[in-house]
Amino acid sequence: MQDAIIVGGGITGLTTGYLLQQKGLDISVVEKNLRPGGPIQSVSHNGFLIEKGPNSLLPSDPWIFSLIDELGLGNSISEEDPQAKNRYIVKDGKPVAAPTNPLQFLTNPLFSFRAKLRLLTEPFRKPAPLQYTLTESVSAFTRRRLGREFLDYAVDPFVSGIYAGNPDELILKDAFPTLHEFEQTHGSLFKGAKAKRKQSKSTPEAPKKRSVNFDEGLQMLPRTIARKLGNRLWLGSTVVAINRNDQGWQVTWKQDGENFEGFAKNLFICLPSRQVKTLAWPQPISEWISNSPDLPYPTVHSLALGYRRDQIAHPLDGFGALVPSKEKTRILGALFSSSLYPSRAPEEHCLLTTMLGGRGSPELADASESELLEIATTDLQRLFGITGEPMFHYLTTWKHAIPQYTKNFRGWKECIQSLESDYPGLRFGGNSIDGIAISASLLSAKRLADELTQSS
Ligand SMILES: Cc1cc2nc3c(=O)[nH]c(=O)nc-3n(C[C@H](O)[C@H](O)[C@H](O)COP(=O)(O)OP(=O)(O)OC[C@H]3O[C@@H](n4cnc5c(N)ncnc54)[C@H](O)[C@@H]3O)c2cc1C
């Protein structure tokens, strides 16, 4: 009997397995695909380095840097280029740099004078009662505290960029818990942000607010952890059934048509909520899980495009551009991948990564490759003054990309919490529970590993 079986070899499951292994526990990680890391996949193509899924990791906690160092990846970190500091937002069909300081804010054309005044009154608005905010959408919260224009030209594109989501559907408390806490603890977003800045300045180990990648792409992170797990990681192995007896958990998985079984005292489920529901669970867990609410997972297409530098008029001096849903542009946004990190494109060339689809454009879920290419190149030509065709494109479609923390999230999380308290040894983690960023998944793994070692 092993100490733990971890189901799912995305970044959460891999890291949980690694942390437990480091503590001397006997574990197995079981992953459906032949490649570990879920959507964290990087490919080299014609001298370009392409991210098929996530493009950057924002280390939200100093522990993430220590993990990266411990894995031997400290010298492979690619830091965001300080020149790429602009964040563009499309307004009236043109990319406008978002303000980065108070003076720029006052002169910035993204918001009207009235909207700016409205924003400046935020610290004086009363916080809403906690009970009211439990089900408040991101849109309703933003309109209440910051005004309509700020919703349309700041929060809406930001929500598209992170969740490929719709701010009318996402619940602020679950999707952006820090903003919720700012209002509830400090009375306002401005006051909360100020308190956080002050705290960061007095904490020398506070992480820098810059995203990172690695020399050979983000994939270096799951690949390195997978190597450390060695033969404790089962790839190409789909878990189909879970059973339980007095001693612990029995996990059944299929590999190349053959059934395998593992037994462990602890079971960690690091799967998307939709996959949790496909497993054969024993009663009454099965009933609980099948009656729990579903989280929507929209389809997102990531389309990488390579150009010669002289084809693009725009300086591409930033992270990228996000598109508010009010605009007539159909892409969700474009990342200036080769401006952001080094060695993403050959000399005198540029790599742009466009995202399409998401909750706001469900009609694009089944669009053909040529249709997506046509939409993206037309939008990019208009936005950035591009002439001619891209020298190559590389499309990845994520059919079920990112869980949406809608009103169903609360019921789903309550179901998971009840199961965890009724069945000691059973734990859930990953992006359908603990947040959708890679850093949230890493912290989710740390939580799971700490909980087990503290309880034993
Ligand atoms: C297009 C895209 C862009 C993104 N951009 C960013 C970004 O720039 N920055 C950022 O921080 N985050 C980004 N994210 C989000 C981030 O990548 C994910 O939230 C994170 O990687 C999730 O990790 P996880 O381990 O929780 O889940 P997953 O990676 O989904 O892991 C679950 C694993 O379980 C496996 N599995 C499923 N069913 C079974 C089964 N029955 N048996 C065994 N294994 C099974 C799956 O194959 C998968 O590997 C992006 C996501 C997408 C899709």
Side-chain angles (χ1 to χ4, degrees):
M1 163 115 23
Q2 291 195 284
D3 292 308
I5 295 179
I6 296 120
V7 182
I11 195 64
T12 311
L14 292 172
T15 311
T16 307
Y18 167 75
L19 294 173
L20 293 174
Q21 194 185 45
Q22 290 303 102
K23 290 175 198 275
L25 299 190
D26 178 18
I27 56 104
S28 287
V29 178
V30 189
E31 162 57 39
K32 182 172 74 170
N33 290 327
L34 288 171
R35 186 196 282 257
I40 309 178
Q41 296 181 24
S42 323
V43 285
S44 291
H45 187 79
N46 288 355
F48 290 80
L49 178 56
I50 297 164
E51 297 294 354
K52 296 173 74 170
N55 281 262
S56 53
L57 158 67
L58 184 64
S60 56
D61 187 288
W63 173 79
I64 294 177
F65 279 115
S66 32
L67 174 72
I68 291 173
D69 279 341
E70 184 184 314
L71 291 167
L73 288 174
N75 290 332
S76 304
I77 287 183
S78 299
E79 298 235 7
E80 199 182 307
D81 186 337
Q83 303 292 321
K85 62 180 185 310
N86 284 318
R87 264 72 177 150
Y88 287 94
I89 292 178
V90 175
K91 181 153 195 201
D92 301 328
K94 293 196 176 63
V96 178
T100 52
N101 60 47
L103 187 66
Q104 274 183 23
F105 169 73
L106 290 175
T107 53
N108 193 277
L110 268 178
F111 306 106
S112 69
F113 179 67
R114 235 181 109 188
K116 287 173 188 167
L117 268 186
R118 172 78 167 77
L119 203 68
L120 293 174
T121 61
E122 195 273 338
F124 310 106
R125 265 163 227 285
K126 269 198 181 146
L130 176 63
Q131 195 56 28
Y132 173 83
T133 63
L134 297 181
T135 52
E136 190 179 30
S137 71
V138 172
S139 299
F141 175 89
T142 313
R143 273 196 304 270
R144 177 167 67 72
R145 295 222 60 96
L146 303 166
R148 175 87 226 184
E149 266 187 54
F150 203 74
L151 169 64
D152 291 341
Y153 281 96
V155 172
D156 171 285
F158 182 67
V159 165
S160 269
I162 295 182
Y163 277 86
N166 175 350
D168 295 343
E169 290 181 335
L170 298 178
I171 301 301
L172 183 102
K173 181 182 177 299
D174 301 317
F176 297 102
T178 310
L179 300 184
H180 182 260
E181 194 211 308
F182 280 175
E183 185 190 41
Q184 291 301 314
T185 312
H186 301 277
S188 112
L189 297 178
F190 277 95
K191 288 179 197 158
K194 198 171 156 197
K196 194 167 179 197
R197 258 200 315 276
K198 202 168 155 197
Q199 192 198 1
S200 302
K201 277 190 187 148
S202 62
T203 325
E205 73 277 17
K208 285 183 259 169
K209 267 268 161 233
R210 299 195 82 73
S211 67
V212 299
N213 200 306
F214 298 99
D215 294 348
E216 293 167 31
L218 273 183
Q219 190 183 274
M220 281 186 95
L221 183 61
R223 207 175 56 194
T224 304
I225 302 177
R227 261 195 230 119
K228 304 250 176 209
L229 286 169
N231 66 3
R232 303 281 93 194
L233 172 62
W234 292 72
L235 293 172
S237 302
T238 305
V239 171
V240 286
I242 309 277
N243 273 299
R244 193 174 164 269
N245 63 25
D246 291 346
Q247 265 114 60
W249 301 88
Q250 176 187 347
V251 180
T252 309
W253 62 89
K254 276 192 188 301
Q255 191 192 52
D256 293 331
E258 221 184 303
N259 272 3
F260 289 82
E261 267 168 11
F263 299 87
K265 284 179 238 155
N266 297 282
L267 176 65
F268 292 91
I269 305 292
C270 301
L271 300 179
S273 60
R274 10 181 315 281
Q275 307 282 359
V276 175
K277 293 187 170 214
T278 64
L279 305 183
W281 289 92
Q283 284 296 6
I285 303 180
S286 167
E287 201 172 317
W288 271 87
I289 290 182
S290 55
N291 288 335
S292 66
D294 290 328
L295 301 184
Y297 283 76
T299 297
V300 173
H301 307 279
S302 169
L303 181 60
L305 297 148
Y307 289 96
R308 287 193 324 274
R309 185 65 191 92
D310 61 13
Q311 286 180 272
I312 307 179
H314 193 275
L316 303 182
D317 51 349
F319 194 94
L322 289 169
V323 180
S325 44
K326 274 196 119 184
E327 292 284 317
K328 290 195 178 67
T329 306
R330 292 187 73 193
I331 58 170
L332 292 173
L335 287 158
F336 305 159
S337 307
S338 49
S339 305
L340 205 50
Y341 299 115
S343 315
R344 301 280 137 171
E347 282 284 294
E348 302 302 322
H349 289 77
C350 297
L351 178 67
L352 298 179
T353 309
T354 19
M355 299 287 171
L356 299 104
R359 233 17 214 165
S361 304
E363 76 287 356
L364 291 184
D366 299 315
S368 68
E369 182 159 346
S370 56
E371 204 179 331
L372 294 166
L373 183 63
E374 173 66 25
I375 293 171
T377 50
T378 309
D379 281 349
L380 292 177
Q381 276 165 13
R382 188 171 46 78
L383 290 173
F384 305 119
I386 297 180
T387 48
E389 296 307 313
M391 51 189 288
F392 83 91
H393 72 272
Y394 190 104
L395 175 69
T396 311
T397 294
W398 299 101
K399 264 289 163 212
H400 305 283
I402 295 171
Q404 304 290 302
Y405 292 4
T406 61
K407 62 180 173 19
N408 283 1
F409 180 73
R410 210 165 150 208
W412 161 250
K413 200 163 173 178
E414 278 168 11
C415 163
I416 294 309
Q417 285 168 341
S418 304
L419 289 173
E420 288 183 339
S421 72
D422 287 357
Y423 297 93
L426 176 63
R427 284 274 175 274
F428 292 79
N431 72 357
S432 58
I433 309 277
D434 284 325
I436 62 142
I438 299 172
S439 53
S441 290
L442 293 169
L443 293 171
S444 175
K446 182 174 189 299
R447 171 181 73 77
L448 293 174
D450 287 349
E451 279 172 10
L452 176 58
T453 40
Q454 277 155 18
S455 70
S456 50

